Amino acid sequence: MEQSCVAMGKTHLILWAMAEEFIEQARSLCFVATTQPNSQPGWRKRHQNLVTSAIKCLTACVSGESQSMTQLDKAKSRLRLAQILFEETESLERCEDEISKAITMADAIQGVEALDIQLQLYDLQIQIYMETKRFRQAKNIIRMASAEAAKHELHAWKYQFCLTKAKLHFLMDDLAGSLTTLGEGATIAEKRGDYDVKLAFWILGGQYSLMLSNWDQAMFFLQKLSPHMGLEQIHIITPNSGNPPEEIPQPSCESRHLRVLFLILFIFCMLRSGNVAKALVALSALQVGLEETRPRDGDDLQGIFKVALRNAQQTSQQVQPMTLSIKWMSFSQVYTLTYLLSGICSKADMTNPAKSQQYLAEGIKVVNREFNVNDYASAAIYVRKNQQWFSLLMLNMLLHLADVYLLQFDHASAEETLLRATYWCKVCNVWDTFKWRISLSIGMLMHLGGKLDEALTWYGICMSHVESSHKDPEGYDTKSIALINAAIIYCGDRHFDLQRVKSIQMEVKSRYPSSTMTPNITCALHILDSWTVEGLMLARQHLLESLRLSAALQNTQMRSLTLLLLGNVYLQTHDDQAEKMLVTGYLHALKTKNQIVAAAAGSSLKDLYLKTSQGIRASQQAQQNKVVLDVVDQAFQSTLMAPLVALSKAEHDSTSSGTK
């Protein structure tokens, strides 16, 4: 065969075959090295050599003057060379040069095959423009390419350019434009019977809405999607939707990958809306779905999955692809993200803190291994992006783990974890991104350790840092949490300032339209309202609402505090429920290691027993209180590790100089 090709002057066919063989070997090597850690020592160097060999083969094709190579052959060669340069290297300038030359060739050729090459070139050119943030150029090419695809009724390409255009609008923070484009794509897909493609457009609409903090829009997409996912337990009925509509059979989602993506989106939205019970149901389904979508080839590994097109046609004039390829998160990213989601779902319930701690600690081990051992992508450009992604995931896991330790009153472990998070920030050069979140955690560490002046300083750093981060929902909420925590300090004896508390309440409430405030923040504001309102009856109403919300959120810490405050209100109104509330709050706080609330509830119980002439019970309670107070005193007397002290001083100095 090789001799025949050489004899006919078609050496380029051999070079094409060799290039594809080298790339196939490179990707197979990457797949094995990634799915079987430590099985291929030194694989990166071999992988690089294989990619280089493929590039040399294709370079020989485009630089040769073979008479047997048609213009179409040369355009194909440059297209393939540009694809490999983009996917496997960071040579974007050379890649663009090859694309420009190939487009010039393809424009001069007639025929369906040339059109397909031309559209592939446009698609690759758009990706480069988006990668380099040349959005205007990308928009122009999308418009031209979409017109060509529509003119020749190439539906797979029409879908592809709809997805690309929607992503472009998203990158430009234009959610309305993104959703309009996705809606157009979904309409086309529904008319053609490509129901999974329609669901893919909806899922992306929900994802973009979520990432740009439009929670109502994200919930709207979840409502549309849930009937198609075959999970009765997670159907969504909004408060304004009235009675459930009459059941209409909906086509079920056939793509397992799409179901996994939907579940991730669903869990994020349920956690945000405070519906932990549904988030846990979806989490169980996600863990099962992961097993069903384990990667079988290099595309699966990199998160490229295919959605079947029901009405793709093949004619003598043109070939319609039978599937639409969609790039999302890699399997490894979804797998490790599930650890984080599992830890967050379990974090609020401190009756079983080991569960959340185990998920997060194990997830940190997995991410650390993935970050240091495997690149999870064959291309240098994807290597860098994956390392960035994993570093951000690692930091989120560390900070949530620090929260778990704080909730358990384990200050030493919390400090150590925060130091690890700080180290990762510095190593990965993302300190400015995570500074606000670390500031909040250190402020909480100071707060729970009784160092209230230092806590206020750190809450101030957090608030000043995220002032302009309104596009980041977690950052925006973090400022609100810092404000609320500062208000709690101003409610106490050492820094009592009721006017300041009321001012903070107004500021937090003004930051949210009523539909966007999270239930956790709403619950915390009800607790603050119970301190600032006039009249015990109004205070009780706020606390009863806080009790209801904390139960729905499965937030045991908030529940303990609410029971304590409710017990004290009943104590002042001489209500028979006072002892019941205080005992429940005391036992609940002990069970969840909420030592400060336990100490306060125990003190109120002792006073109640003394007031009602129950001397023996008062004496017993006093002895129990001493054990709790010893733990609290030990925490208050603890000193910060030297590196954290240095960090504290540096941040305080930088904030002060910035203020000046």
Side-chain angles (χ1 to χ4, degrees):
M1 176 65 180
E2 291 182 10
Q3 292 177 350
S4 174
C5 288
V6 172
M8 295 172 64
K10 295 188 176 182
T11 311
H12 65 280
L13 297 179
I14 299 174
L15 292 171
W16 282 357
M18 289 174 64
E20 293 307 317
E21 178 62 24
F22 286 133
I23 286 298
E24 182 61 32
Q25 287 184 31
R27 291 179 174 171
S28 296
L29 178 61
C30 180
F31 181 80
V32 173
T34 305
T35 54
Q36 301 173 28
N38 303 319
S39 66
Q40 301 290 325
W43 71 274
R44 289 185 185 83
K45 183 63 176 176
R46 286 185 288 149
H47 176 272
Q48 185 179 0
N49 290 339
L50 288 166
V51 170
T52 301
S53 297
I55 291 172
K56 286 180 178 178
C57 289
L58 292 169
T59 302
C61 285
V62 300
S63 59
E65 292 297 332
S66 172
Q67 296 298 319
S68 63
M69 279 190 76
T70 64
Q71 288 294 97
L72 183 61
D73 290 334
K74 291 178 181 179
K76 281 183 182 179
S77 299
R78 291 193 183 278
L79 166 63
R80 190 66 184 120
L81 177 57
Q83 288 172 334
I84 293 173
L85 288 169
F86 180 73
E87 294 167 1
E88 310 291 347
T89 76
E90 293 193 49
S91 303
L92 290 183
E93 187 174 341
R94 183 182 173 188
C95 179
E96 283 193 76
D97 184 53
E98 296 296 342
I99 291 173
S100 297
K101 291 176 181 177
I103 288 176
T104 302
M105 291 178 179
D107 284 345
I109 307 170
Q110 300 296 320
V112 173
E113 198 171 1
L115 175 62
D116 185 65
I117 289 174
Q118 191 176 49
L119 292 175
Q120 289 186 64
L121 287 164
Y122 286 151
D123 184 50
L124 187 55
Q125 192 172 43
I126 293 164
Q127 291 183 59
I128 293 173
Y129 285 151
M130 291 198 298
E131 181 69 28
T132 53
K133 294 182 170 51
R134 286 177 283 175
F135 297 141
R136 181 177 297 178
Q137 293 96 317
K139 196 171 185 179
N140 291 336
I141 300 298
I142 289 173
R143 186 184 300 114
M144 182 168 54
S146 298
E148 283 295 312
K151 176 182 175 182
H152 296 277
E153 296 187 353
L154 299 173
H155 301 292
W157 277 114
K158 286 167 67 176
Y159 292 146
Q160 186 63 54
F161 290 125
C162 269
L163 292 172
T164 305
K165 184 179 178 182
K167 182 179 179 181
L168 176 63
H169 281 293
F170 168 73
L171 293 174
M172 297 169 66
D173 292 333
D174 177 14
L175 181 60
S178 182
L179 297 185
T180 298
T181 302
L182 291 170
E184 292 169 357
T187 300
I188 296 170
E190 184 165 25
K191 287 180 179 178
R192 291 183 47 78
D194 292 325
Y195 295 113
D196 273 13
V197 176
K198 178 184 73 173
L199 298 180
F201 281 116
W202 285 355
I203 288 172
L204 283 172
Q207 179 189 345
Y208 291 159
S209 300
L210 182 69
M211 294 176 73
L212 292 178
S213 307
N214 192 324
W215 300 100
D216 289 343
Q217 192 66 54
M219 291 296 290
F220 168 74
F221 280 109
L222 286 181
Q223 266 190 294
K224 294 171 68 172
L225 285 161
S226 58
H228 299 271
M229 295 300 160
L231 294 168
E232 295 295 328
Q233 306 96 315
I234 63 173
H235 280 196
I236 299 173
I237 302 296
T238 60
N240 299 324
S241 58
N243 295 324
E246 185 178 345
E247 287 293 327
I248 300 174
Q250 301 284 355
S252 295
C253 177
E254 296 182 0
S255 168
R256 293 175 178 177
H257 289 90
L258 285 178
R259 287 203 295 271
V260 166
L261 306 191
F262 163 78
L263 288 168
I264 290 174
L265 177 65
F266 184 91
I267 292 168
F268 270 113
C269 286
M270 290 302 102
L271 288 173
R272 165 78 186 188
S273 65
N275 198 330
V276 179
K278 282 194 172 183
L280 288 169
V281 171
L283 182 63
S284 298
L286 174 60
Q287 290 164 347
V288 173
L290 277 178
E291 292 302 314
E292 297 175 346
T293 55
R294 284 193 171 275
R296 294 165 294 181
D297 55 32
D299 280 351
D300 278 351
L301 192 69
Q302 293 187 34
I304 300 171
F305 64 94
K306 295 177 174 59
V307 178
L309 303 182
R310 290 183 179 276
N311 294 318
Q313 298 175 353
Q314 294 189 5
T315 68
S316 57
Q317 294 185 335
Q318 59 188 36
V319 177
Q320 291 268 26
M322 301 299 288
T323 58
L324 174 67
S325 294
I326 298 177
K327 175 75 172 73
W328 208 61
M329 289 192 296
S330 69
F331 175 82
S332 307
Q333 290 175 331
V334 175
Y335 181 75
T336 48
L337 180 61
T338 303
Y339 276 107
L340 175 63
L341 293 174
S342 301
I344 295 173
C345 285
S346 308
K347 188 173 75 171
D349 183 8
M350 281 293 103
T351 59
N352 185 13
K355 191 174 182 181
S356 178
Q357 186 177 324
Q358 182 179 356
Y359 278 128
L360 292 170
E362 186 62 30
I364 288 168
K365 290 179 184 177
V366 174
V367 174
N368 193 55
R369 185 180 71 237
E370 306 301 353
F371 187 89
N372 290 294
V373 178
N374 294 317
D375 289 331
Y376 270 90
S378 56
I381 191 169
Y382 290 133
V383 168
R384 187 183 68 251
K385 285 185 175 180
N386 276 281
Q387 287 180 335
Q388 290 172 348
W389 192 92
F390 278 120
S391 66
L392 296 178
L393 181 65
M394 169 68 88
L395 282 163
N396 274 292
M397 286 183 168
L398 286 168
L399 290 170
H400 280 288
L401 182 59
D403 287 347
V404 172
Y405 287 134
L406 284 172
L407 292 170
Q408 295 180 74
F409 222 64
D410 184 354
H411 292 182
S413 297
E415 280 187 57
E416 183 180 350
T417 306
L418 287 173
L419 282 171
R420 288 179 65 189
T422 303
Y423 166 79
W424 269 86
C425 280
K426 300 295 186 181
V427 168
C428 301
N429 197 29
V430 291
W431 173 251
D432 287 340
T433 303
F434 277 84
K435 176 181 172 182
W436 54 268
R437 184 66 178 81
I438 292 179
S439 298
L440 175 64
S441 294
I442 295 176
M444 291 168 63
L445 176 62
M446 303 285 189
H447 194 162
L448 291 172
K451 301 172 179 64
L452 301 186
D453 291 326
E454 293 90 337
L456 287 171
T457 298
W458 276 100
Y459 291 149
I461 292 170
C462 172
M463 288 183 274
S464 64
H465 185 70
V466 301
E467 184 65 49
S468 61
S469 300
H470 61 279
K471 290 180 182 178
D472 173 9
E474 192 175 356
Y476 199 67
D477 290 343
T478 295
K479 176 169 181 175
S480 299
I481 295 169
L483 283 164
I484 289 168
N485 286 350
I488 291 172
I489 292 176
Y490 292 127
C491 287
D493 294 337
R494 285 167 55 185
H495 294 77
F496 184 74
D497 189 340
L498 201 56
Q499 284 304 119
R500 202 159 188 174
V501 174
K502 290 180 179 179
S503 175
I504 288 174
Q505 285 177 282
M506 291 179 62
E507 181 177 353
V508 173
K509 290 175 182 177
S510 68
R511 289 166 59 79
Y512 298 92
S514 58
S515 61
T516 63
M517 184 180 292
T518 66
N520 272 306
I521 291 175
T522 303
C523 187
L525 284 174
H526 277 298
I527 291 174
L528 283 181
D529 284 334
S530 75
W531 270 314
T532 57
V533 294
E534 295 182 5
L536 294 174
M537 294 302 293
L538 285 176
R540 187 180 71 172
Q541 289 177 13
H542 282 294
L543 290 170
L544 287 173
E545 183 60 19
S546 173
L547 196 63
R548 183 190 68 79
L549 284 170
S550 62
L553 292 165
Q554 300 185 19
N555 190 322
T556 53
Q557 299 287 312
M558 202 90 78
R559 185 174 176 80
S560 297
L561 177 58
T562 303
L563 287 167
L564 162 66
L565 297 174
L566 198 54
N568 282 324
V569 168
Y570 285 145
L571 198 59
Q572 294 179 64
T573 58
H574 307 288
D575 195 299
D576 293 339
Q577 293 288 318
E579 182 179 359
K580 178 183 176 182
M581 289 294 174
L582 288 172
V583 169
T584 304
Y586 175 73
L587 295 175
H588 198 271
L590 285 179
K591 187 176 182 181
T592 58
K593 297 186 178 181
N594 194 342
Q595 304 293 354
I596 293 177
V597 171
S603 178
S604 294
L605 275 173
K606 185 193 74 172
D607 292 343
L608 173 62
Y609 294 144
L610 287 173
K611 189 175 181 180
T612 55
S613 303
Q614 300 181 66
I616 296 176
R617 296 185 71 181
S619 177
Q620 291 173 340
Q621 188 63 51
Q623 292 177 0
Q624 294 173 18
N625 291 350
K626 186 178 183 305
V627 176
V628 176
L629 286 170
D630 286 344
V631 175
V632 174
D633 287 341
Q634 185 178 358
F636 281 11
Q637 293 170 13
S638 64
T639 56
L640 291 173
M641 297 178 186
L644 204 54
V645 171
L647 176 66
S648 176
K649 185 178 185 305
E651 286 307 310
H652 182 272
D653 292 345
S654 66
T655 304
S656 299
S657 62
T659 304
K660 292 176 186 177

